[in-house]
Amino acid sequence: MKGTLARVGHHAGFAGAAPPDRWPRPRSVPRPERLEAGVETLQGVGPTLARRLARIGLETVGDLLWQGPRRYEEPVPSKRVCDLFGEEEAVIEVVVRSASSRRRGRLRILTARVADTTGEVKVTWFNQPWLEERLSPGTRIRLRGRANRYGFAVSSYDLEGEESTADFAPVYPASEDLVQKRLRDLHSQALVLARDAGEPLPAALLTAERLPLRADALAAVHRPRALEEAEAGRARLAFDELLVLRLALARTATERERASAVPLGAPGELLARYRASLPFTLTPDQERSIAEIDADLRRSMPMQRLLHGDVGSGKTVVALYALLRAVELGRQGALMAPTETLAEQHFLTMDELCAPLGVRVSLLTSSLRAREHAAARQLIASGDAQIVVGTHALIQKEVDFHDLAVAVVDEQHRFGVGQRTALVEGRSPHVLHLTATPIPRTLALTVYGDLEVSELALPPANRKPVITAWVTEERSSEAYKRLRRHLDDGRQAYVVCPLIEESETRIARAAEAEAERIRSAELRGYRVGCLHGRLPSAERRSVMASFKAGELDVLVATTVIEVGVDVPNATIMIVQEADRFGLAQLHQLRGRVGRGAEQSYCLLVSRAPEELTDGASERLEALVATTDGFELAERDLEIRGEGQLLGARQSGYSDLRFVRLRRDQNLLERARDVARGFESEGLLTDEVDRLLGEAEHLGES
Ligand code: ADP
Ligand code: MG
């Protein structure tokens, strides 16, 4: 298959917006700046559509080009309505008899009766109000979908003579208010500019590796005539991504080899006191990780270790151990967290554990008032702060550590690679990265390069898996009844507010309104606090502290509690409109309960199953079925399509868009070999810079 990829017919025609140059350029000269144009430069894109596209991460023409389809629709047979039975996918060609819509909550349900000469069937769409006016009686429509007990469940449609639905077609990640047809059209428009993506690999390399041109690969991915063609295109684009990754890793490895750190010897009296002060004994996995860290800290090569463990596996005590190793020798430790809430939470936890040991912990976030901020910086510079906990505020230039020896970076996949290296730049502390992202060990090595990996595979033994139930909205009063029972037993609870894709301010307001509503309804008489991203940090800290101290019974919260919040007495969680959350996100949220010895519960509330998309039902079913992060990650891959394993756009490695890590082992090896040969040749330099966050500074000025 390789190398035989045919060019798919399309022209690199002139975009209307670009004025011709003095002399027409040859078509083969790529103009990458054209890909920076906003989506509104495409035909048919106004402000509303642009906003919807932005919400799923599509802002420029290039974003469209670089977003491959999740999968391809295979052609299916046409059937007569009277022949519809079973679950088999089919296409029916019908005429609309009547259509009407109604509202249920935030849901808009559109129902139509359609018929051919052999019979009539009922079809339903959710949240597509604009469709109703186009479904006047007599309209011809072609529907692709499956028969079910409610009628015919439509997956796509063609109106009045349009034809794309039944045929081999790309399926893009969509949202409720963005239909495939629209996305396909926009991707087609973007594809016209494929040549402007340039060709970064030398011709000789392409020939040797039998890879198609980048532009042809893009065309093949978006408009293949057959699956094999799409796969060959994807492989080329995946190869580029892996090559960039390997080149970036080679560059950082060279830098690291030159750095040296102060060896920290063996643990002593402070660490013995720390162990004695813990209210539990460490698990075997924690002990093993600590031994591995101790071995690293003895050496003058800076530690670069990844501590990997599922939510609730007990990473924090291990991280604090590493920080205290620095403190014991009169040096400093720092912990960097991805969000303010998480930093504040870590600060509370660490301060509580450190105070009895006589170790001073400081918090540094960008939301501190100027005076507090200056004071904290002073403590850091003088060395009075022995452990510093903070957000990326920690890596800003004006922060000057007295003597940083150990740095811990929490949930590091949320940082770009560049941000992570900034913390260690010019300082060479030993670094421990924490992550709960369930990635198999081999994969971690691939993606994180030569990081050593320690694993907390088993949670503390006294832990009972959280029991998860999925309940429909009609029965949510029972969920609250259950929750009140826990409160009456002296336990605490979380209520997670619906995820609305609006502004941060809107989300905050909705959370406050929900807390207010609950206080006078389901949870009247209980102490209910509210936590969201818009609270000033002092207030957020005080809400968290009161919840921790048991002065609040319930925390109504947005996803700010997704990571790091640790209150073992909280034993039950209700997630409202759980179908709106991603699988990984729900797993993280659920990790907030089940942190003590008590049996904990997670109640997922959603609309009725028949109103949910297939993906949403599958996610909720998966959560009910297992609490194992690895298994859930696997399911997530199946449901969403692969390639997104490493997180959403905020991830430093989100550039692995076309890679299918489980399938691409061979590609990975080829990329590694090629990277070795080209390390010093400046291959793909721009892309490597971008991955390492080094180009950002240039771009911003
Ligand atoms: P995570 O890996 O998600 O960061 P944490 O470090 O927050 O997990 O630990 C989760 C909870 O388990 C905390 O309340 C912590 O005190 C507790 N814990 C950690 N280690 C042990 C252990 N060895 N035995 C019992 N409880 C533990
Ligand atoms: Mg944690």
Side-chain angles (χ1 to χ4, degrees), residues 119 249 506:
L249 291 173
R506 277 262 187 77

Side-chain angles (χ1 to χ4, degrees), residues 16 87 94 117 175-176 229 323 418 435 439 537 557 581 586 600 603:
E87 288 274 282
V94 286
T117 52
S175 60
E176 273 183 354
E229 200 171 277
L323 295 172
T435 183
I439 40 177
S537 82
F581 295 88
L586 286 168
S600 292
L603 309 176

Side-chain angles (χ1 to χ4, degrees), residues 111-125:
T111 316
R113 303 211 142 266
V114 300
D116 63 10
T117 52
T118 71
E120 189 185 85
V121 63
K122 190 177 104 177
V123 297
T124 305
W125 284 270

Side-chain angles (χ1 to χ4, degrees), residues 168-243:
F168 189 76
V171 179
Y172 294 99
S175 60
E176 273 183 354
D177 52 13
L178 265 173
V179 292
Q180 280 307 322
K181 190 180 301 296
R182 246 304 157 42
L183 287 167
R184 281 179 195 151
D185 168 56
L186 296 174
H187 280 92
S188 292
Q189 290 190 50
L191 193 55
V192 173
L193 301 180
R195 305 249 157 233
D196 291 313
E199 178 49 70
L201 300 185
L205 179 58
L206 291 180
T207 312
E209 294 292 325
R210 308 183 60 186
L211 293 166
L213 290 172
R214 184 182 260 191
D216 290 340
L218 283 166
V221 158
H222 289 286
R223 287 292 170 270
R225 284 166 308 191
L227 264 187
E228 302 79 63
E229 200 171 277
E231 172 55 21
R234 183 200 69 77
R236 157 68 212 257
L237 301 174
F239 183 80
D240 288 6
E241 292 173 346
L242 291 167
L243 190 55

Side-chain angles (χ1 to χ4, degrees), residues 72 84 98 213 218 253 329-330 433 686:
Y72 299 89
L84 282 177
S98 66
L213 290 172
L218 283 166
L329 299 179
H433 306 267
D686 290 352

Side-chain angles (χ1 to χ4, degrees), residues 315-316 346 410 564:
K315 295 184 289 296
T316 314
H346 272 307
D410 191 15

